[in-house]
Amino acid sequence: MLEITGVLTPAEIAEVRALIAGGQWVDGRATAGPLSAAVKRNRQLDEDDPAGHHAGAIILDALARSGVFASAALAAQIAPPLFNRYAIGEAYGDHVDNGIRPLLRGRMRLDLSATLFLTPPEDYGGGELVIDGAPGVRLAAGDLLLYPAGSVHRVEPVTSGEREACFFWVQSLVRDHEARAMLFALDRAIQSLPSGAEQIVELTALYHNLLRRWSTP
C-alpha cells in the first residue's frame, strides 16, 4: 500500500464534490457481481453521468502532475474514475476487484486499485478502508491510497456523517508487484541524490534497463 498526499488541491476537492453532489446516484450493487453484491451497501454515481465525467477529468489531470503516482503506478492505462458514497450504516464487505475490466474499446487488466478520499475524516465516523487485514485507513481529503487490485479489502460501516470517495484501477507497465516496488524504491533513491552526483547516470541506466526487462505490452 502507498499513501500519496495532496493529489487534489483544496479548490479541486471543492469543485469535484460540487459536481458530483448534483449527479445521478444509483444503488452500488448495480455494478457489482453476484458475490460482491451480497456484501455491498453504498451508492455510486452513474457511470454515464456527465458530472462524473467532468469530475473524473479533473482527477486524471491531477494524477498526470503527480510524480509519485507516475513512479509508483507506471500506468499503461487508467480506468475512468468512479465515485461512491456511504451513509450511516452503509459498508462494503470483504471482496476482491475483478482481474479484467471491459472498456468502451477493448479491456484492461486491473493491477492496482486506487481510492482517492474526498470527505475530510473529521466529517464522518467509521468508513475505514481495510486491506488484507491491515489496520483501517482514513486519509485526508485529496489524498490517495494505491494498493494491489488482488488484495482482499473492505469498507467498514459508516457510523456518522457521509463518506465520499473516488475509485479507479490501473493497468501497469510492470504487472509484477515486487518488481514494481523495487523500481519505485530505485527511482525515489535516484530523485534523492544531489544534482550532479556521480551515481545518477549509473543508477538511471540500471532503472531503465530493469524497466525494459520487466515491462509488458
Side-chain angles (χ1 to χ4, degrees):
M1 293 189 295
L2 177 68
E3 297 180 13
I4 305 177
T5 60
V7 172
L8 293 182
T9 67
E12 288 169 334
I13 296 167
E15 184 176 6
V16 166
R17 297 196 70 188
L19 283 166
I20 65 176
Q24 181 64 43
W25 292 86
V26 299
D27 190 326
R29 291 173 293 186
T31 58
L35 293 178
S36 293
V39 297
K40 187 177 185 181
R41 300 189 313 279
N42 68 2
R43 286 156 293 156
Q44 189 167 308
L45 194 66
D46 190 293
E47 293 188 29
D48 295 324
D49 193 310
H53 295 168
H54 188 174
I58 294 170
I59 288 167
L60 291 174
D61 285 345
L63 293 172
R65 67 172 185 258
S66 172
V68 177
F69 176 80
S71 178
L74 293 172
Q77 290 190 81
I78 301 175
L82 302 174
F83 301 87
N84 57 27
R85 177 184 285 169
Y86 292 80
I88 295 174
E90 293 183 324
Y92 196 169
D94 283 341
H95 64 285
V96 176
D97 293 334
N98 292 338
I100 300 292
R101 180 171 175 81
L103 303 174
L104 287 176
R105 294 175 182 166
R107 62 188 70 184
M108 65 178 284
R109 186 184 68 246
L110 307 187
D111 296 319
L112 293 163
S113 297
T115 297
L116 178 59
F117 290 75
L118 298 175
T119 307
E122 61 269 19
D123 288 356
Y124 67 99
E128 294 88 354
L129 178 58
V130 179
I131 300 170
D132 280 343
V137 175
R138 283 161 37 100
L139 300 185
D143 291 358
L144 180 142
L145 189 70
L146 193 65
Y147 55 97
S151 304
V152 176
H153 56 284
R154 67 180 184 270
V155 176
E156 297 283 24
V158 168
T159 58
S160 65
E162 197 168 62
R163 173 195 190 271
E164 289 183 341
C166 167
F167 62 101
F168 58 90
W169 298 278
V170 176
Q171 177 175 315
S172 179
L173 291 168
V174 178
R175 66 188 301 174
D176 182 84
H177 294 304
E178 290 187 3
R180 194 185 322 110
M182 286 187 280
L183 285 169
F184 177 62
L186 179 56
D187 185 42
R188 303 311 288 174
I190 294 169
Q191 297 297 326
S192 71
L193 292 173
S195 176
E198 61 181 17
Q199 305 98 324
I200 287 180
V201 172
E202 182 178 357
L203 291 176
T204 300
L206 174 62
Y207 174 88
H208 287 290
N209 286 330
L210 288 173
L211 181 59
R212 264 185 281 272
R213 177 183 291 269
W214 288 336
S215 62
T216 57

